[in-house]
Amino acid sequence: EVQLVESGGGSVQAGGSLRLSCTGSGFTFEIRDMAWYRQAPGNECELVASIGDLIYSTPSVRGRFTISRENAEKTVYLQMSNLKVEDSGVYHCASQAAGTAWPERLPSVLAAQALFADYWGPGTQVTVSS
C-alpha cells in the first residue's frame, strides 16, 4: 500500500522556522521525484518545491525554503526559514515518476488527489502569525 505521511507542521511567529518531513512507504522511493504543495484556505494548491534530477522552488520561497531528500530514510524534507504570514496553509507532499512535469497550480485538493492518486499525502498544517 502506497502511503505518504507528512509531519513537522505547527504554529510559529513570522520570522521563525519549521522543518517538514514526508515519509513514503509501499513504493520505490529513490526512483521517484518528490514535491511539496501548499494550500491556503480558499486558494489553489500551489507547488512550493520539487526534487528529482533537478531542484525547483517557487519564486516566493527562494532563499527561505530548501527541499532535500534522504533516500535511505525514504523521506523528503522542506526546511522553511524566515516564515511569513502568507506561508500559512496545509502542506502536502506528492510523488510522481521521475522526469514528469509538476503542475504549478491545481484548483483543489480533490484535483490533486485525482492526479496523484495514492502519491498524495494528507498534509500538515503550518500557521504563521504576525
Side-chain angles (χ1 to χ4, degrees):
E1 178 188 6
V2 171
Q3 271 195 322
L4 292 172
V5 180
E6 304 93 340
S7 62
S11 297
V12 296
Q13 289 196 319
S17 299
L18 285 172
R19 188 194 197 202
L20 305 184
S21 301
C22 171
T23 300
S25 60
F27 64 99
T28 308
F29 181 90
E30 56 267 30
I31 66 172
R32 295 180 64 89
D33 290 353
M34 302 295 297
W36 287 95
Y37 281 80
R38 68 184 177 191
Q39 185 184 37
N43 286 8
E44 299 173 307
C45 287
E46 171 192 28
L47 176 64
V48 176
S50 65
I51 185 166
D53 286 342
L54 300 175
I55 291 177
Y56 168 84
S57 58
T58 195
S60 65
V61 308
R62 286 175 193 166
R64 301 187 298 120
F65 290 12
T66 302
I67 188 171
S68 63
R69 65 190 296 165
E70 178 55 65
N71 288 336
E73 306 264 333
K74 301 185 185 300
T75 299
V76 60
Y77 301 99
L78 186 68
Q79 178 67 50
M80 306 187 295
S81 302
N82 191 20
L83 281 159
K84 303 178 180 181
V85 172
E86 53 264 38
D87 293 320
S88 297
V90 180
Y91 283 68
H92 300 266
C93 70
S95 175
Q96 60 180 8
T100 307
W102 293 97
E104 290 196 12
R105 293 186 181 276
L106 292 161
S108 66
V109 168
L110 285 177
Q113 290 170 331
L115 178 63
F116 297 116
D118 291 337
Y119 295 96
W120 176 261
T124 187
Q125 176 72 47
V126 172
T127 303
V128 185
S129 58
S130 59

